[in-house]
Amino acid sequence: MVDSQYVLPNDIGIATLDCTEAFKLLSPEERLYAHYLSRACWYGGLVVLLQTSPEAPAIYTLLSRIFRAQDPTQLWELAHSLGLSDEEYQAFLVYSAAIYANMGNYKSFGDTKFVPNLPKEKLKQLVWGSQAFVAHPKEMEALWDSCGERMFSLESTQKHLGLRGEGVSTYFSANCSMEDAKLAQDFLDSENISAYNTRLFKTEVDGEAVYEVRLASVLSDDVELDAEMSAKMKCFEFRGCKFTVTRGDYCLLLKRVVDNLQKAKQHAANATQAEMLKHYIASFTQGSIKAHKEGSRCWIRDKGPIVESYIGFIESYRDPYGSRGEFEGFVAVVNKAMSAKFARLVAAAERLLEQLPWPRAFEKDAFLKPDFTSLDVLTFSGSGIPAGINIPNYDDIRQTDGFKNVSLGNVLAVAYSTQKDKLTFLAEEDKDLYIKWKGPSFEVQVGLHELLGHGSGKLFVQDDSGAFNFDRNVVINPETGEQIRSWYRGGETWDSKFSSIASTYEECRAECVGLYLCLNKEVLGIFELKGDDAEDVIYINWLNMVRAGLLALEFYTPESRTWRQAHMQARFVILRVLLEAGGGLVSLHHTTGADGKPDAIVSLDRSKILSVGKPALERFLCKLQVLKSTADVVGGRALYKAYSTVNDEEPERFLSLRHTVLLRKEARKMFVQANTRLEGEDVILVQYEGSAEGLVRSFRDRFPEDAEVLDQQLMELARADAQYWPAC
């Protein structure tokens, strides 16, 4: 029996992201713009396979060839004839759907490997019997040989994403350690090169380490270098090591991204959108983060577009070091009714920022009012789909140009719905209220988290000219009572400075802001909540957070004492803070369920939220912001590590609770997305049913014109770098 952590259940939730009504409202030009942007996103999303594991591209290609030759229904008939049970064939479909939904064989939420929940020999039998194999036996056998063993392997270093000796990551060659990642980051900072669109490959030449920093681009090293790239594309000596900066990573896929962005540009709604796409095209062509930043500035200026999108190397959650961005792209349509609420929240933002528990000097000099819209997702490529986004992630742009917030309405509508009989770790008297108010409370939390969580706080910086963006003689650290003693210098950023804890620390800060400000009556009024309803939303928002802190234990690995998911680590930290507050605010009880197996109940005394919970959050939130503002990595790591520690000490016994959480965990939902298709001058939307079959069919139809060539190019890119993972 395979540990349930590493397989997906046959009854996993799979939901359709419905955007039919939103798409109907688009004009013909807007549909064409959305179509070509979606094509760019889908092609770029395949990059994630190359950013995840050595075997992911081959698994994807193997499955794609199988399903292009036979529909899931036809394949089911073959499976039956070969002796596979209904359960085994469903397990194969669920595994295939999960490969597509996660863009690889590691969960996007938790970075844990998942393997097929059927015997290896039966899956091999199905592959060998497929029409794809009959038509191309040598190619299919070669694909199986390159991924079959790893597909099922649960060796200790293959269970999770991580660096050498701890896990798998194709952001780095297999011989890279955390020390190598830190050295490379120091080198990148010294040359003012962003890590976002890079990978790191380490080789040895004459006994000396040589590092290749490879930028993602269409163009290769020696072609059409502009002035910016000429300064970067060369060999460097750094701390006795050789570093070579090259480019051309993912070139064949990025060429398809660029081609479709060029087509989308012809249908842009205004000059700002056209300029934005021009910079994105330059970024992906040259490998320039500077160009992507310029595109992001245009994106921020493009206020209230009907079709909203963003694309690039964005989130660094899955880089074990925390600096490299996973490729991501989305296209979505504005939901005007919900966006009106968020617009009112933006209008109140400056007043609300004054309520946050840190001194005015630790807040941005001016709040640059962003767009904040509710969107229905048409396309979201990458390894997973969030409920809300606050981007861009570039610190310098966020501080001076601003940012945008989006809440993904059709994701929220289906992602977090729960049946009462599957609702774990709550007292019976809380369950009905939880189900009633979970959606509205999460809407409030997402709004506050994105706008005033990620959108708040100042970084103290000394630029290359030596100038400071704060008054060193006046500003006092409220935690020490002394003047500011540390800050960011030159090319240092939040991600590069706080590296592996940057993402989770920032998610924790944003979650705390959401909890803290949801107590504000003005906020609740903006979301049309008042009286008992408002009080219930506060209670469920806080209860949801402490329950999430308990559920987070699924994402902790005791063997390595590491957390695998930034948001869940953040929620565990908040649970610890609120437990530490005492006063009976939060309690955890080990119990036995009706099935006779271990269970647990988390409870929250709603009468203590204001008197005990708010002051505790106030103190903790101020510490988080001060340490972040002052670039105090040592202090920040110490604080965050202390609250992230999982042990089995009384009274909570978290390690024991982890076993209970794993026993009763519910798999995260997967989403089926639509395709767009050109028919003459019109764009048609094609929706699919919310099932494993529907998800598989959506990907089967995703690349109708060039699927075979695309498979070949994906495998060409994968094989070119296979030497860097010699055991694979």
Side-chain angles (χ1 to χ4, degrees):
M1 289 289 291
V2 176
D3 189 324
S4 64
Q5 290 182 76
Y6 305 108
V7 294
L8 299 168
N10 280 0
D11 64 350
I12 188 170
I14 302 178
T16 297
L17 279 187
D18 188 5
C19 57
T20 308
E21 293 306 313
F23 190 78
K24 280 180 183 175
L25 299 175
L26 298 181
S27 70
E29 277 294 289
E30 289 164 348
R31 290 186 183 191
L32 285 164
Y33 182 65
H35 169 72
Y36 288 117
L37 285 175
S38 292
R39 304 310 299 152
C41 291
W42 287 127
Y43 284 120
L46 298 175
V47 165
V48 178
L49 294 162
L50 298 162
Q51 294 180 309
T52 301
S53 71
E55 68 275 13
I59 296 173
Y60 172 91
T61 303
L62 182 79
L63 295 173
S64 294
R65 289 191 170 200
I66 288 171
F67 289 117
R68 279 205 307 275
Q70 285 168 287
D71 183 78
T73 303
Q74 296 171 313
L75 207 61
W76 175 80
E77 293 170 0
L78 171 66
H80 264 230
S81 72
L82 295 172
L84 273 73
S85 68
D86 286 348
E87 290 76 18
E88 287 168 337
Y89 182 64
Q90 181 64 20
F92 167 67
L93 280 183
V94 166
Y95 178 77
S96 303
I99 292 292
Y100 293 137
N102 292 277
M103 268 295 103
N105 57 329
Y106 286 75
K107 295 176 187 174
S108 64
F109 200 84
D111 297 344
T112 304
K113 189 175 188 177
F114 56 92
V115 301
N117 194 17
L118 73 159
K120 181 181 175 185
E121 284 308 310
K122 290 210 172 183
L123 178 52
K124 183 176 180 181
Q125 195 179 3
L126 183 61
V127 172
W128 256 246
S130 69
Q131 287 183 17
F133 192 95
V134 171
H136 302 284
K138 287 185 179 179
E139 293 176 25
M140 291 294 286
E141 187 168 0
L143 282 169
W144 176 267
D145 288 344
S146 66
C147 68
E149 286 297 322
R150 293 274 299 205
M151 188 190 300
F152 283 86
S153 173
L154 285 173
E155 290 184 20
S156 59
T157 56
Q158 294 175 21
K159 290 180 177 180
H160 310 291
L161 297 180
L163 284 163
R164 188 184 73 196
E166 296 181 354
V168 171
S169 174
T170 45
Y171 283 115
F172 301 87
S173 54
N175 57 353
C176 282
S177 65
M178 188 60 78
E179 290 71 29
D180 293 310
K182 176 68 170 71
L183 176 66
Q185 187 63 58
D186 289 346
F187 161 72
L188 292 170
D189 288 344
S190 73
E191 295 296 330
N192 203 18
I193 298 172
S194 171
Y196 269 117
N197 65 340
T198 70
R199 290 198 288 173
L200 183 70
F201 301 98
K202 177 184 176 183
T203 53
E204 289 204 3
V205 178
D206 299 328
E208 293 186 1
V210 177
Y211 297 92
E212 178 194 357
V213 174
R214 192 189 302 166
L215 310 181
S217 68
V218 175
L219 298 179
S220 57
D221 298 352
D222 54 355
V223 180
E224 299 177 39
L225 284 173
D226 62 14
E228 179 207 353
M229 300 311 295
S230 294
K232 293 181 169 66
M233 310 294 296
K234 54 187 181 183
C235 296
F236 300 82
E237 288 282 337
F238 183 76
R239 295 183 187 169
C241 297
K242 292 181 180 177
F243 279 84
T244 304
V245 180
T246 66
R247 65 178 180 175
D249 215 0
Y250 323 121
C251 57
L252 299 174
L253 298 177
L254 291 179
K255 174 69 166 64
R256 294 172 181 273
V257 173
V258 165
D259 288 347
N260 281 279
L261 291 178
Q262 294 277 20
K263 293 174 181 176
K265 187 165 171 277
Q266 297 171 25
H267 304 283
N270 53 57
T272 304
Q273 282 184 1
E275 187 183 355
M276 170 186 79
L277 294 179
K278 181 189 79 172
H279 289 303
Y280 290 161
I281 289 164
S283 173
F284 299 139
T285 301
Q286 293 283 345
S288 168
I289 289 295
K290 181 180 178 183
H292 197 268
K293 286 184 174 183
E294 289 306 314
S296 298
R297 288 188 172 98
C298 294
W299 181 66
I300 293 166
R301 292 199 301 271
D302 185 27
K303 302 289 187 184
I306 300 299
V307 178
E308 183 64 281
S309 69
Y310 195 64
I311 188 170
F313 296 87
I314 312 300
E315 302 291 357
S316 57
Y317 299 125
R318 301 183 89 197
D319 169 14
Y321 189 74
S323 294
R324 286 152 192 82
E326 184 174 84
F327 194 96
E328 177 181 292
F330 75 84
V331 184
V333 183
V334 172
N335 178 321
K336 292 183 179 178
M338 191 62 210
S339 296
K341 293 181 184 178
F342 291 136
R344 293 196 293 273
L345 189 64
V346 170
E350 287 173 281
R351 291 193 302 277
L352 296 171
L353 284 171
E354 294 173 359
Q355 307 299 314
L356 291 173
W358 49 76
R360 179 65 186 85
F362 287 74
E363 192 47 69
K364 294 185 183 75
D365 298 337
F367 181 72
L368 303 168
K369 288 187 177 181
D371 250 10
F372 194 170
T373 49
S374 177
L375 306 174
D376 284 344
V377 170
L378 171 63
T379 297
F380 206 114
S381 74
S383 66
I385 307 178
I389 318 172
N390 176 287
I391 39 182
N393 287 328
Y394 304 119
D395 290 335
D396 50 345
I397 292 180
R398 295 174 65 80
Q399 297 286 318
T400 58
D401 296 80
F403 51 88
K404 275 187 181 181
N405 295 278
V406 297
S407 173
L408 303 178
N410 57 346
V411 177
L412 282 168
V414 296
Y416 301 98
S417 56
T418 309
Q419 297 173 359
K420 188 175 180 180
D421 61 344
K422 290 189 173 183
L423 191 52
T424 54
F425 309 127
L426 291 181
E428 282 300 317
E429 58 267 24
D430 281 330
K431 289 184 178 180
D432 287 334
L433 199 67
Y434 183 91
I435 289 169
K436 179 180 180 181
W437 291 110
K438 168 75 183 297
S441 70
F442 198 64
E443 211 168 62
V444 173
Q445 179 69 12
V446 167
L448 295 171
H449 173 116
E450 300 297 346
L451 176 65
L452 298 166
H454 292 315
S456 64
K458 180 174 181 172
L459 302 183
F460 294 154
V461 178
Q462 181 184 21
D463 65 23
D464 290 331
S465 71
F468 291 87
N469 70 342
F470 67 102
D471 191 332
R472 291 179 62 197
N473 298 315
V474 173
V475 179
I476 299 297
N477 183 325
E479 297 295 312
T480 64
E482 300 173 348
Q483 290 181 333
I484 304 303
R485 298 182 181 275
S486 57
W487 48 83
Y488 299 83
R489 302 167 192 269
E492 291 179 341
T493 67
W494 162 248
D495 278 335
S496 71
K497 195 77 174 167
F498 280 71
S499 64
S500 57
I501 71 159
S503 291
T504 181
Y505 187 110
E506 174 59 12
E507 294 304 333
C508 185
R509 194 183 70 88
E511 291 283 47
C512 287
V513 168
L515 283 184
Y516 189 75
L517 288 179
C518 83
L519 302 173
N520 185 288
K521 300 300 183 197
E522 183 179 4
V523 167
L524 296 166
I526 287 169
F527 286 89
E528 299 170 2
L529 297 162
K530 55 187 179 182
D532 290 344
D533 288 353
E535 295 301 319
D536 285 345
V537 162
I538 291 170
Y539 174 58
I540 295 305
N541 196 33
W542 279 61
L543 180 64
N544 185 48
M545 187 62 70
V546 295
R547 176 177 180 261
L550 176 58
L551 295 176
L553 290 166
E554 175 190 343
F555 302 92
Y556 177 75
T557 305
E559 294 80 7
S560 58
R561 298 181 182 179
T562 55
W563 285 91
R564 306 188 311 276
Q565 214 293 318
H567 299 79
M568 299 311 282
Q569 181 180 357
R571 290 157 189 165
F572 178 78
V573 166
I574 293 170
L575 171 62
R576 289 284 311 275
V577 169
L578 296 179
L579 281 166
E580 182 185 82
L585 174 68
V586 178
S587 55
L588 280 171
H589 300 288
H590 293 254
T591 63
T592 301
D595 56 5
K597 297 176 181 178
D599 207 340
I601 299 290
V602 61
S603 55
L604 172 75
D605 186 339
R606 63 190 297 167
S607 71
K608 304 283 182 65
I609 291 175
L610 285 175
S611 60
V612 179
K614 185 180 179 183
L617 262 192
E618 200 166 89
R619 292 188 295 271
F620 183 62
L621 194 45
C622 186
K623 286 180 183 176
L624 289 176
Q625 182 57 50
V626 168
L627 293 166
K628 179 182 179 181
S629 290
T630 58
D632 186 349
V633 180
V634 174
R637 283 189 175 275
L639 176 73
Y640 207 71
K641 181 181 179 181
Y643 282 107
S644 297
T645 300
V646 178
N647 55 42
D648 220 29
E649 294 176 4
E650 296 285 356
E652 291 86 12
R653 294 170 46 221
F654 285 119
L655 284 174
S656 297
L657 280 172
R658 179 178 176 273
H659 291 296
T660 304
V661 169
L662 289 174
L663 181 69
R664 300 188 179 278
K665 71 184 178 71
E666 184 178 0
R668 193 171 175 84
K669 283 183 180 172
M670 296 190 288
F671 301 114
V672 183
Q673 298 186 60
N675 284 317
T676 55
R677 189 174 68 227
L678 274 177
E679 288 192 359
E681 295 296 311
D682 201 6
V683 179
I684 305 300
L685 184 73
V686 184
Q687 292 271 181
Y688 300 82
E689 68 174 21
S691 65
E693 292 92 336
L695 210 162
V696 165
R697 289 181 181 118
S698 73
F699 267 87
R700 178 199 63 193
D701 298 346
R702 194 135 282 156
F703 306 106
E705 311 92 354
D706 51 8
E708 289 189 18
V709 175
L710 197 57
D711 285 350
Q712 292 167 7
Q713 292 181 340
L714 180 61
M715 290 309 301
E716 181 182 334
L717 291 169
R719 288 175 184 134
D721 292 325
Q723 61 183 307
Y724 295 114
W725 300 279
C728 306

